[in-house]
Amino acid sequence: MAAIDVSIITKQNQRLAIKLALVAALMFGFGYALAPFYASFCQFLGIDRANASLTQAGSALRVEFDVNVAADLPVTMQALDGVQVAQAGGQVKARFVLRNESDQPVYLRAVPSFAPVRAAGVLQKLECFCFNAMSLAGNEQREVTVVLLVAKSLPAEMGAATLSYSLQAIPAFTHKVRES
């Protein structure tokens, strides 16, 4: 039986401990540098839509409109005015086209959301098709609008905002309407 040299095992354990400490330090450094690296990467690719450089800071806001339709809803919706430039204190009007692709009536509701969330404090909906539930007859096409009031002073760091609508079916509403 061969004798185990304790000094060799101790040196191997020390080397392993140093390597593990180095890996931990690299992981910590990577995590610390990830946020600025991600911001630079997005700016390089041009996918940072909230970048204030897209508009003149504090005087105008780029407003984009987006639509998502639930998978089980036979409706299409398209923003006719997908991008608007909103002036401080002004109004923005955007139009959308809704189309029922089925022969049956559908009942739906549009649920709005802002991105970034703080844009909700800058853009106030004066008129919106999302205020009430809607019904569309079979194969009906309708144009709907939203009118936004822009705050008198815009934050300098906010250059763009997105107003997104999610169209969802309303089964309870459908049941109520069918009973009456």
Side-chain angles (χ1 to χ4, degrees), residues 11-12 14 17 21 35 43 78 86 88-90 135-136 153 155 172 174-175 178:
K11 285 183 181 181
Q12 288 176 342
Q14 287 174 344
Q43 187 176 10
Q78 180 180 10
S135 64
L136 287 174
S153 66
T174 303
H175 184 67
R178 287 185 180 165

Side-chain angles (χ1 to χ4, degrees), residues 42 46-54 62 64 66 116 158-162:
C42 289
I47 58 175
D48 185 11
R49 294 181 174 179
N51 189 344
S53 66
L54 296 175
R62 177 186 162 111
E64 298 180 7
D66 181 42
M158 186 184 306
T162 300

Side-chain angles (χ1 to χ4, degrees), residues 49-64 83-92 118-119 122-123 149-161:
R49 294 181 174 179
N51 189 344
S53 66
L54 296 175
T55 57
Q56 191 175 11
S59 65
L61 179 68
R62 177 186 162 111
V63 182
E64 298 180 7
V83 177
Q84 299 274 331
V85 175
Q87 299 297 325
Q91 290 185 0
V92 173
R118 65 183 186 273
V122 174
L123 299 170
L149 176 64
V150 184
K152 291 183 179 177
S153 66
L154 298 173
E157 73 277 0
M158 186 184 306

Side-chain angles (χ1 to χ4, degrees), residues 2-176:
I4 300 176
D5 190 3
V6 177
S7 66
I8 292 175
I9 292 176
T10 302
K11 285 183 181 181
Q12 288 176 342
N13 285 343
Q14 287 174 344
R15 282 189 210 137
L16 180 62
I18 290 171
K19 288 178 184 176
L20 291 175
L22 184 62
V23 168
L26 288 174
M27 290 174 62
F28 176 77
F30 179 73
Y32 189 76
L34 188 59
F37 175 74
Y38 180 74
S40 298
F41 185 71
C42 289
Q43 187 176 10
F44 173 75
L45 294 177
I47 58 175
D48 185 11
R49 294 181 174 179
N51 189 344
S53 66
L54 296 175
T55 57
Q56 191 175 11
S59 65
L61 179 68
R62 177 186 162 111
V63 182
E64 298 180 7
F65 298 94
D66 181 42
V67 177
N68 299 300
V69 180
D72 60 338
L73 197 58
V75 172
T76 59
M77 185 171 177
Q78 180 180 10
L80 295 176
D81 310 305
V83 177
Q84 299 274 331
V85 175
Q87 299 297 325
Q91 290 185 0
V92 173
K93 181 177 181 180
R95 300 171 298 140
F96 299 86
V97 172
L98 270 168
R99 177 162 174 75
N100 182 356
E101 300 289 340
S102 73
D103 296 336
Q104 302 296 317
V106 292
Y107 304 94
L108 54 99
R109 175 174 293 270
V111 179
S113 63
F114 286 99
V117 175
R118 65 183 186 273
V122 174
L123 299 170
Q124 177 186 2
K125 290 187 280 300
L126 298 177
E127 175 187 327
C128 184
F129 60 92
C130 62
F131 288 159
N132 297 312
M134 296 179 283
S135 64
L136 287 174
N139 297 315
E140 180 184 354
Q141 180 172 319
R142 185 185 312 166
E143 187 174 306
V144 293
T145 59
V146 60
V147 178
L148 302 170
L149 176 64
V150 184
K152 291 183 179 177
S153 66
L154 298 173
E157 73 277 0
M158 186 184 306
T162 300
L163 176 54
S164 180
Y165 288 101
S166 295
L167 293 181
Q168 300 171 353
I170 308 173
F173 182 70
T174 303
H175 184 67
K176 264 186 174 178

